[in-house]
Amino acid sequence: MIFNIQRFSTHDGEGIRTIIFFKGCPLSCLWCCNPESQSFGPVLMYNPGLCRKFGDCLKTRNKGITASPDGIQIDRNLIQNPDEFRDLCASKALIVSGEDLSTEQILHEIEKDQPFYSSSGGGVTLSGGEPLSQGAELDVLLTELKRKKIDVAIETSLHIGWERIASVARLTGTFLVDLKHTEKEKFNSFTGGDADLVLENLKMLAKCHDRIIVRVPVIPGFNHTVSEMRSIIDFTKTLYKLSEIHFLPYHTLGTEKYRMLGMDYKMKGNKKVGVEELSGYVDYAHSLGLIAKTGG
Ligand code: SF4
């Protein structure tokens, strides 16, 4: 299931890229800017600013939706199938994020931009969510992309069993690996996951794949200190043949989505990080001989 296709991106890999965003993630990072990606199924998003109160959603008689003077109220516990609301709201105040596309349909979308890949050295980037959490269809898609000689980058947290990573490694041009923290407790309290799993997977991947870029989301209150960032950079430096690290500054662009999903944004009050705040991290990485930059 995917929740977005972004065309003509010049981030997240070389050249001009089409980014396919898959739904479903084993982590739940508190700063996640795509919270609609975390669940594996479709989710309902409501933007009261667009609501024209025509009431098409109320006509479904779903008990989870009730009228209020400010628009509608949603009790998500009472909505078992968000698909009931797909394409129902003419003003797009109520939308369903998440669509099942076949491998052929995804390939068709990717191939629309093929001339731009050839001219720019680009390709497709699989993102999410966690693309490696997808099932066998992902392997079919990767095999087809390889056959068609379309470059593939996978953006991943590597928070998954090693067998899954090994199974896609030979079909993947570049791994863009999110390395969030090196400390087990801190990693777990902010993402719900296991840092050791990520670190061990990254060590093994570095031994068998020659195009990996480590990407570090720089998050105030989580890892934006000299000691924590040096620990991440030092770890990167130990990795076999791996030489490139990017620092991605925290931003608040996804916060509105939490309100639309009825979710609590737990990093309220955090200010966005300016790229100038990252120069010390870049300099330190350079001093160790790594290629380093800010941004994707
Ligand atoms: S790994 Fe990425 S998609 Fe998953 S919760 Fe964290 S930030 Fe969101």
Side-chain angles (χ1 to χ4, degrees), residues 76 112 169 220 230:
R76 291 168 193 273
K112 284 181 187 170
R230 283 195 175 195

Side-chain angles (χ1 to χ4, degrees), residues 25 27-29 32 37-38 129 180:
C25 184
L27 299 178
S28 45
C29 305
C32 181
S37 75
Q38 293 178 1
K180 305 170 202 291

Side-chain angles (χ1 to χ4, degrees), residues 211-257:
R211 181 78 181 132
I212 303 170
I213 298 174
V214 165
R215 306 207 308 175
V216 187
V218 180
I219 314 294
F222 173 59
N223 62 9
H224 190 13
T225 65
V226 171
S227 62
E228 286 167 306
M229 211 46 76
R230 283 195 175 195
S231 173
I232 291 170
I233 298 165
D234 289 344
F235 175 80
T236 303
K237 177 64 186 169
T238 67
L239 295 167
Y240 182 70
K241 283 203 299 193
L242 198 148
S243 60
E244 192 161 348
I245 185 166
H246 298 174
F247 300 93
L248 312 181
Y250 168 78
H251 61 75
T252 54
L253 297 176
T255 52
E256 177 62 15
K257 291 182 182 176

